[in-house]
Amino acid sequence: MINRSKFKQFLISGVYKTPVEYLRSKGVKVGKGCMISPCHISAKEGYLIEIGNYCRIAKDCEFFTHGGIYCLQILHNDPDLDYFGKIKIGDYVSIGEGCKIMPGVTIGNNVIIGAGSVVTKSIPEGYMVAGNPIRHIGYTEQWYENLKQTSNLKSGRMGDEEKKRFLLSLQDDKFVHKPLIQSRESKK
């Protein structure tokens, strides 16, 4: 059995120098300063996708510009039926690992999308979203201000080894801790 992710990385590394070059070869418009890991265009219409400046797209994200109508074509004997949507991603957008971006979605500037999210609706500027399907979980500027005041470890410019030593020297209370999930019964 072939590991799909490793096979994708092998193909991309052998043919294209960077994931940005791969996306551009598919017709995707990519802005300046983007950090993009290997991802997948699940369509031949990469030219319908536009990525803004200074975006970060984590690995294994998928972009869909069409889909979901094959059965309708067959059922109604209508082979000309088709469905397409452009994807537009603004500037300073961070898309977490394994996200799926569906046709017709516009993502505003300064947006954070949590890992594994399925983006079925457009997202306004400054939102943080996560889930399947996505839901609004906060605002990027409020989160930034909170991070500056409560948990800024000032490790962003450290090299890997220096950061490792630093993080391993910290007490547990310096790290992010998520609350326990609640059952439906306990919410009533």
Side-chain angles (χ1 to χ4, degrees):
M1 194 68 160
I2 296 173
N3 180 316
R4 183 177 166 209
S5 179
K6 288 188 186 230
F7 184 69
K8 261 194 308 192
Q9 287 176 310
F10 169 77
L11 286 178
I12 291 170
S13 66
V15 179
Y16 305 101
K17 291 185 175 127
T18 67
V20 170
E21 287 178 10
Y22 164 74
L23 291 175
R24 287 186 175 140
S25 78
K26 297 289 189 182
V28 178
K29 294 177 197 95
V30 180
K32 63 182 177 184
C34 292
M35 284 180 47
I36 300 177
S37 296
C39 52
H40 182 68
I41 308 295
S42 291
K44 293 183 261 180
E45 302 83 17
Y47 48 84
L48 295 177
I49 302 169
E50 184 177 335
I51 299 170
N53 300 313
Y54 305 104
C55 293
R56 181 191 170 274
I57 300 175
K59 71 178 184 160
D60 295 331
C61 290
E62 291 187 81
F63 299 86
F64 300 87
T65 57
H66 76 280
I69 57 135
Y70 173 75
C71 294
L72 291 174
Q73 288 174 325
I74 302 302
L75 177 66
H76 296 283
N77 192 23
D78 190 355
D80 293 328
L81 184 67
D82 228 336
Y83 169 85
F84 291 97
K86 292 182 176 183
I87 296 173
K88 183 171 181 2
I89 299 170
D91 298 333
Y92 303 101
V93 173
S94 181
I95 301 176
E97 185 173 326
C99 288
K100 296 182 183 327
I101 313 297
M102 301 317 234
V105 164
T106 297
I107 299 170
N109 296 330
N110 193 21
V111 167
I112 298 173
I113 302 171
S117 295
V118 177
V119 182
T120 59
K121 294 184 178 171
S122 294
I123 304 169
E125 182 172 324
Y127 269 42
M128 292 173 55
V129 299
N132 178 7
I134 58 165
R135 64 181 178 81
H136 178 243
I137 60 171
Y139 297 95
T140 55
E141 288 305 311
Q142 285 177 345
W143 193 49
Y144 171 72
E145 290 301 325
N146 185 37
L147 285 173
K148 276 181 31 179
Q149 294 176 13
T150 61
S151 59
N152 186 4
L153 300 176
K154 298 185 184 343
S155 60
R157 295 186 205 182
M158 291 181 186
D160 291 343
E161 284 302 313
E162 182 183 9
K163 187 180 287 188
K164 177 182 176 182
R165 283 190 300 277
F166 173 68
L167 292 175
L168 290 175
S169 73
L170 296 174
Q171 298 294 319
D172 264 357
D173 64 345
K174 296 292 183 188
F175 292 93
V176 172
H177 294 278
K178 301 290 183 177
L180 291 172
I181 191 168
Q182 295 182 4
S183 69
R184 289 184 183 158
E185 293 81 27
S186 67
K187 289 182 181 179
K188 292 179 183 181

